[in-house]
Amino acid sequence: MADYSEDYRDYELDEYADPSPFNISTELVTGCSVCNKKDDLSRCAACKVVLYCSGEHQAAHRKEHKSICNKIKKAQQVCDKEEAELRASQGGPLSWANPFETAPGHFWGIVETRPYMRARFAVVDYQMKINTRAAVQAALDNIMDMLRLCRGDNMGLRDIAPGLLLSLGRDQACYDFVKWWEWRYNQSDYDSGDMDAPYLDIKDADVFEAPDLFTDTKYPNLSPLLDITLLKIRLLIDLKALQRVKLEAGSHVPQEILDTINTHAVSSVVAGNREILERKDLAPRISGLEKQIRKLYDTVQKANKYIWLAMVRPGNHLTARPAYTSAGTIREMQVKLQYVYNAWAETPGAIGVIEELQKRSGTARAT
Ligand SMILES: [Zn+2]
Ligand SMILES: [Zn+2]
């Protein structure tokens, strides 16, 4: 049995808080939200993140879409108003002249920017409730721009962006991002107020490399660990599929089969990677990845003992709204699970890998 007792009271209290809806996504909608047609689409003018092929389909979807659409529209209006006020600010003894021009990167140090940042965060929070590619992209664009304005990242946006990148299939960009922040996190003398300091300057890092940066540390960092674990699992799923085909086809795999695998690859790192697709024996890479994933699994389990149980059976952890979190608690699990869950659910077989690891480590039957 997993030991929930120490946090259980907190968890019960959270259940009385207003649950926040969560839409599980198994595949992002890229076309019309009613029929999924892909061309001649127009955007919902209010929220701008849902697409339709016709006025008819927009009207048919209105009842279901209305509530979240209005929330996004209103949150965006509040955000726009806060932005306009900041931009108009002339500065004075107690305030800062237009910080968008005078202090990008330093927003956390300027108290007047906080209502704006919170308002923009509310927009992101609602955008993340819509499972369209346009909504995920819009949430990511907001987060990346907020990080540009506030490099100190006091809001923890760095924990949200990677799940969105994975949902969008941008695995390499996700790895580069997560690796930079983990490096930054371990760099106690990094000055986030120095705009000349390197920022997100890791490009095309090797996704197959050992995850020591994330695992061999005194205080393992839950969100990046979850991102890296999923990323590695995606690689594993692709390499195993590729290996199966190679074993069946013998020494020479016909080009059209390679092309089919290429289009079905779950990881964008494998898709299009000739070096991997054409490699003769993938077994060493596969066993290397399996070892890395086991180590990541154990490190995650150490960082938060509730997270894998909840990944397999999320239940109402996806709709909980914990007020604050601290490392290792159920509340932390809930927040971090919500950030990354859809990227996992959108990857066929990924949660199954975790179930297998649970069986092996004997935590599967804990409830
Ligand atoms: Zn349609
Ligand atoms: Zn809308």
Side-chain angles (χ1 to χ4, degrees):
M1 285 283 284
D3 176 21
Y4 277 160
S5 53
E6 71 186 65
D7 298 299
Y8 195 67
R9 264 157 45 116
D10 283 353
Y11 177 46
E12 279 198 313
L13 285 175
D14 283 336
E15 285 198 298
Y16 293 99
D18 244 3
S20 155
F22 187 97
N23 293 319
I24 293 178
S25 164
T26 47
E27 193 179 356
L28 280 186
V29 177
T30 54
C32 169
S33 273
V34 176
C35 67
N36 208 17
K37 197 182 139 196
K38 309 283 187 205
D39 30 42
D40 296 325
L41 302 168
S42 49
R43 269 166 206 263
C44 170
C47 67
K48 301 191 170 71
V49 292
V50 172
L51 305 170
Y52 299 107
C53 68
S54 62
E56 222 179 356
H57 277 177
Q58 174 154 22
H61 196 232
R62 194 60 200 158
K63 199 175 160 212
E64 182 191 325
H65 177 56
K66 195 175 159 189
S67 161
I68 188 70
C69 180
N70 285 338
K71 282 178 181 150
I72 293 180
K73 189 183 167 186
K74 280 191 192 132
Q76 188 64 56
Q77 282 167 349
V78 174
C79 180
D80 291 346
K81 188 176 144 277
E82 295 289 351
E83 177 174 343
E85 274 174 26
L86 276 183
R87 285 191 183 274
S89 138
Q90 300 293 314
L94 292 171
S95 73
W96 201 282
N98 182 5
F100 288 93
E101 293 298 330
T102 55
H106 300 279
F107 268 34
W108 182 242
I110 305 165
V111 177
E112 302 98 291
T113 64
R114 291 180 194 182
Y116 161 75
M117 293 295 271
R118 282 189 205 108
R120 199 163 175 186
F121 188 86
V123 174
V124 171
D125 200 32
Y126 291 131
Q127 284 172 334
M128 285 172 62
K129 310 256 182 267
I130 295 187
N131 295 328
T132 64
R133 197 177 172 86
V136 174
Q137 184 66 56
L140 178 66
D141 291 345
N142 270 318
I143 286 175
M144 296 307 280
D145 195 53
M146 289 167 82
L147 285 171
R148 178 186 68 83
L149 293 168
C150 182
R151 249 191 227 186
D153 189 27
N154 52 288
M155 299 176 100
L157 302 171
R158 63 184 174 280
D159 288 344
I160 305 178
L164 302 177
L165 284 165
L166 289 170
S167 273
L168 293 169
R170 296 179 55 196
D171 296 33
Q172 180 67 56
C174 173
Y175 189 65
D176 293 340
F177 181 93
V178 170
K179 190 176 175 184
W180 188 85
W181 275 101
E182 192 66 16
W183 168 83
R184 149 83 187 81
Y185 178 85
N186 292 316
Q187 215 63 28
S188 56
D189 59 346
Y190 182 84
D191 180 4
S192 57
D194 173 9
M195 293 303 113
D196 293 327
Y199 178 64
L200 292 183
D201 60 342
I202 291 179
K203 292 278 176 283
D204 295 326
D206 179 12
V207 293
F208 288 98
E209 70 193 352
D212 300 356
L213 177 68
F214 305 90
T215 53
D216 297 9
T217 165
K218 197 169 170 202
Y219 302 105
N221 205 352
L222 187 58
S223 265
L225 281 165
L226 290 173
D227 303 323
I228 298 292
T229 308
L230 177 56
L231 211 140
K232 300 271 186 186
I233 287 177
R234 289 192 191 204
L235 293 173
L236 180 69
I237 290 171
D238 281 346
L239 291 198
K240 278 185 160 174
L242 195 53
Q243 182 79 333
R244 265 196 304 277
V245 171
K246 285 185 186 241
L247 289 174
E248 280 163 23
S251 59
H252 186 72
V253 183
Q255 191 56 45
E256 67 257 34
I257 292 184
L258 282 182
D259 291 344
T260 313
I261 293 172
N262 202 10
T263 29
H264 290 284
V266 288
S267 169
S268 50
V269 171
V270 173
N273 189 324
R274 287 280 139 207
E275 193 272 320
I276 297 173
L277 288 171
E278 280 159 19
R279 187 183 278 244
K280 271 213 175 62
D281 186 12
L282 293 163
R285 278 243 151 133
I286 289 173
S287 70
L289 275 172
E290 284 175 332
K291 234 162 104 189
Q292 291 181 5
I293 290 165
R294 271 200 301 275
K295 188 169 180 187
L296 285 161
Y297 175 90
D298 290 341
T299 313
V300 167
Q301 180 71 21
K302 250 185 273 162
N304 190 307
K305 64 187 169 186
Y306 309 105
I307 192 86
W308 289 136
L309 292 165
M311 184 66 81
V312 172
R313 281 192 290 150
N316 58 5
H317 294 305
L318 290 176
T319 53
R321 273 199 99 78
Y324 62 87
T325 71
S326 54
T329 60
I330 287 184
R331 290 173 167 192
E332 181 201 35
M333 171 272 281
Q334 291 170 333
V335 170
K336 304 298 165 77
L337 183 72
Q338 290 172 26
Y339 288 167
V340 81
Y341 186 78
N342 275 342
W344 282 79
E346 286 158 5
T347 308
I351 293 174
V353 172
I354 297 305
E355 281 182 279
E356 281 305 308
L357 286 165
Q358 283 181 327
K359 277 181 205 153
R360 220 178 284 184
S361 66
T363 54
R365 270 170 295 132
T367 50

